[in-house]
Amino acid sequence: MTSSKFRIRRVAVLGAGVMGAQIAAHCANAQVRVVLYDLPAAGPDPDATVRRALAGLRKLEPAPLASTDLASQIEIAHYDRDLARLAECDLVIEAIAERMDWKQALYARVAPHLRDDAIFATNTSGLSINALAAACPEGMRHRFCGVHFFNPPRYMALVELIPALGTDAALLDRLEDFLTTTLGKNVVRALDTPNFVANRVGVFSMLAAMHHTTRLGLGFDEVDALTGPLIGRPKSATYRTADVVGLDTLAHVVNTMTGQLAADPWHRHYVLPAWLTALVERGALGQKTRAGIYRKDGRQIKVLDVDLQDYRDADRGVADEVQALLAERDPAMKLAALRASTHPQAQFLWSIFRDIFHYVAVHLGDIAHNARDIDCAMRWGFGWSAGPFETWQGAGWQQVAEWLREDIAEGHTMSAAPLPAWVTERHGVHEAGGSWSASAAAIEARPPTPRQLFPQRLPGESARATHTVWEGEEVRLWTLDDADGERVPVLSFKSRMSAVGPRVLEGLLEGIARAERDFDGLVIWQPDGPFSVGANLKQIRPVLEAGDFVALERVVADFQKASLAIKYAQVPVIAAVRGLALGGGCEFVMHSPRVVAALESYIGLVEAGVGLIPAGGGCKEFAIRSARAAEASATRDPMNFLQSVFQTVAMAQVSRSARHAQQLGLLKPDDLVVMHADEVLHVARRNAIAMAESAWRPPLPAVDIPVAGRSGIATLDMMLVNMREGGQISAHDYRVAHAAAVALCGGEIDAGTRVSEQWLLDVERALFVDLLKTRDTQARIAHMMDTGKPLRN
């Protein structure tokens, strides 16, 4: 039995394949000490297998590492030399190939080296957890379970946690806490059934799509156009997803269903199409072999055409008639229209919705504790915007059920299995008190998540009550009815994408003033959407087109005033960040005395992309930070720090994670990185209270700041001249980057001159307005607003 104070300090991952290496990488992202094992390699370097895996982590896209230097934090081990090191590990995750015999042999080998309180888990995607537990010594079976990560582990939110019959319940709770808070995952407790929850439903949905593709004579690219964002699914849709997952991996999962689900009413459909089997046999496995259902020829994307038995251009899309049906906002009317249409694409969509509804209704009691687990598994594991039950309920439970009964009776469905009786008796599966459990024949409440103040909601669940303290046109100051809320309110922007315009700036100043007067702190956090994408160009554009540069300079001065208000507020103002914090949003972050950022935060000063420089205090903050770092260094040369900062600003570089943002200097070393995005607000409020309790005071105004001046500008200009002459940047790129260099170096003054914070703000504001007056910058702003893409002019 594990101690109530049991903590997972070190993790071992057994198997340095694609999944094992990426699980280890994500542990490193969370700053958990991790050891990665594999078989010793033949040749002079027995660690070569693991070394290759770590080198591969630095090259993979999307990047499994939040910062490439984290690869060096993963310790290398192999089974012949390092089994004794397993005794140092609190959690051991086996992630080798999906072979029962291989796993069982490895368990026998490692078991003698595990601590008596260590958790032993398998990352199997569908093998029986109880069968694997039987391969463990009897004394450690209570510490064994399944922990199924989804690929890629850094980005896919879902982890399925599967107990064996004898697994200690308290151990599962502690492991779930670790997976949630330390690794940032959303956990679904799964039953020990073939392929568990998400793969069981998700792979059936792919097989259903394949079945109806053939039945209706559609192309694979045509189906992908239908089954992507148009219906709330990822861009990779159906067939591209199969290529990304790997056709061999898909085949393995399907074969598990074929072999273990003989009595299933859909069993005859648990088989791969002949064309897919042929691809696997010839080694065309998808993305990892650069050919599968899709293939890239130069810049042209080709797709397999079964009738041609060859690849053709991937150019088939959604028919206008079907686009119009999908544009219907009412879910009930949309499904009714798809069902009534005779167009093959509409019939395809109705068929895949109908068959997945039918499947999850019949199997709910067999594969999941309740309907919530299925819907959440599909959201978090397959990237669906809504799970099958919530889609059904949203379209009208009883009407859809009647359509299902009619199609079953007429033989249109993939199985003749009748709908369970509970479907007729209910009007949905989600309600305020929880979600329907077919096995328990009762509503099961959602498990509490005290650190997640606003977890994702399902239909029928009510939103947590909030209390408005003050509300402006584009800003709301509000609290929660709890002890923390009495001390720390939240300031949220109501503008689209939390863009910052004059009304947001006014509201921000008012919110800070009210927090100083009535509370102990303030958190800036957006309940829906990103932290902020920066300046609201839509509001600025008319003033720019009118040529009112006096008004524009006033807006920039107000932006600087808001940034300083954050920095020098008499209560701690915490920026709670998840998603994008760009441009002016990034400048607010840089001025916050403490930032709490989700790992998946993408932060950057992107003004150069529209021909401008940061002028809300971003250049000023970098100049101050570089001066302070220089004064603490042996050389006392700010250029040691300004050169990398200059590249960040001039190249409009956006961080690949919150940890990368710390490397770029956009976040401070003592800013907090939180792994689960839904826990950011909780941590931010607690930090504001802790700072207030510690008698925190804002910094004194920055004065007497030594700057790099003309010599610093000249050094940075040398980089630009070479890039311009080499054709890497345009003349206007050079002008913008030169302006950034001047702002970062404190203006055209002697090196070492000591200036005030206001001086630096005045320099960056003047340079910003000068750039606004140029036709090239105006063209870049207009192009970005009209197309959403940067213009290189």
Side-chain angles (χ1 to χ4, degrees), residues 330-620:
D330 184 293
M333 294 182 66
K334 182 185 300 184
L335 269 188
L338 291 172
R339 185 171 189 260
S341 174
T342 58
H343 195 287
Q345 290 185 357
Q347 279 298 298
F348 172 85
L349 288 173
W350 162 248
S351 296
I352 63 169
F353 279 122
R354 174 200 64 208
D355 287 323
I356 196 67
F357 295 160
H358 187 195
Y359 190 83
V360 295
V362 170
H363 281 304
L364 174 57
D366 306 330
I367 65 174
H369 292 291
N370 52 57
R372 176 182 58 252
D373 287 350
I374 287 182
D375 280 345
C376 288
M378 298 314 296
R379 284 189 185 193
W380 300 333
F382 276 74
W384 293 12
S385 62
F389 281 119
E390 54 185 316
T391 302
W392 179 353
Q393 184 166 325
W397 184 265
Q398 285 299 338
Q399 176 60 79
V400 172
E402 181 58 32
W403 290 335
L404 286 177
R405 281 189 288 269
E406 290 175 8
D407 280 14
I408 293 168
E410 293 171 9
H412 297 320
T413 52
M414 293 171 66
S415 165
L419 287 175
W422 63 262
V423 171
T424 303
E425 296 163 1
R426 298 196 57 78
H427 294 279
V429 291
H430 302 302
E431 57 187 58
S435 298
W436 176 253
S437 168
S439 57
I443 290 290
E444 289 189 349
R446 173 195 282 267
T449 51
R451 293 173 59 88
Q452 297 177 27
L453 303 176
F454 293 92
Q456 294 181 28
R457 287 187 294 131
L458 291 169
E461 292 183 323
S462 56
R464 183 164 183 169
T466 62
H467 169 67
T468 299
V469 175
W470 170 82
E471 192 164 11
E473 188 177 334
E474 291 193 349
V475 167
R476 178 177 178 239
L477 184 69
W478 53 276
T479 64
L480 288 170
D481 293 327
D482 59 13
D484 291 351
E486 292 176 2
R487 301 184 65 180
V488 180
V490 179
L491 188 76
S492 299
F493 306 160
K494 299 189 291 182
S495 52
R496 185 175 179 273
M497 301 291 282
S498 308
V500 180
R503 303 289 82 78
V504 168
L505 295 174
E506 291 173 7
L508 177 59
L509 292 172
E510 178 66 21
I512 291 172
R514 287 174 179 265
E516 288 178 322
R517 187 184 68 202
D518 300 324
F519 296 94
D520 294 328
L522 177 67
V523 172
I524 303 175
W525 179 78
Q526 317 304 344
D528 301 303
F531 180 81
S532 176
V533 294
N536 192 330
L537 296 178
K538 185 177 180 181
Q539 293 179 354
I540 292 174
R541 188 175 186 177
V543 186
L544 180 61
E545 290 174 345
D548 189 351
F549 295 104
V550 172
L552 287 170
E553 184 166 7
R554 191 160 54 245
V555 171
V556 179
D558 288 343
F559 219 123
Q560 294 178 339
K561 182 180 178 181
S563 294
L564 291 179
I566 292 171
K567 183 176 182 178
Y568 294 115
Q570 294 303 300
V571 295
V573 179
I574 310 294
V577 182
R578 57 182 178 176
L580 300 174
L582 304 178
C586 176
E587 289 174 300
F588 287 166
V589 167
M590 293 177 70
H591 283 80
S592 175
R594 174 66 55 81
V595 181
V596 177
L599 179 75
E600 301 307 333
S601 297
Y602 311 106
I603 302 169
L605 296 168
V606 296
E607 288 83 355
V610 288
L612 294 167
I613 65 168
C619 291
K620 176 266 299 180

Side-chain angles (χ1 to χ4, degrees), residues 553 556 560 613-620 623 707 709 713 738-749 755-771:
E553 184 166 7
V556 179
Q560 294 178 339
I613 65 168
C619 291
K620 176 266 299 180
V707 296
I713 297 168
H738 173 77
V742 174
L744 291 168
C745 294
E748 298 279 359
I749 57 178
V755 301
S756 67
E757 190 169 17
Q758 188 59 51
W759 169 276
L760 294 170
L761 288 169
D762 292 343
V763 168
E764 70 177 37
R765 186 175 68 252
L767 291 164
F768 181 94
V769 174
D770 283 348
L771 287 169

Side-chain angles (χ1 to χ4, degrees), residues 30 44 47 79 119 185 228 238 402 409 449-450 478 537 545 576 579-580 644 664 681 707 735:
D47 295 323
Y79 303 126
I119 302 171
K185 298 299 161 192
T238 300
E402 181 58 32
T449 51
W478 53 276
L537 296 178
E545 290 174 345
L580 300 174
S644 62
L664 295 175
L681 179 57
V707 296
R735 179 171 183 171

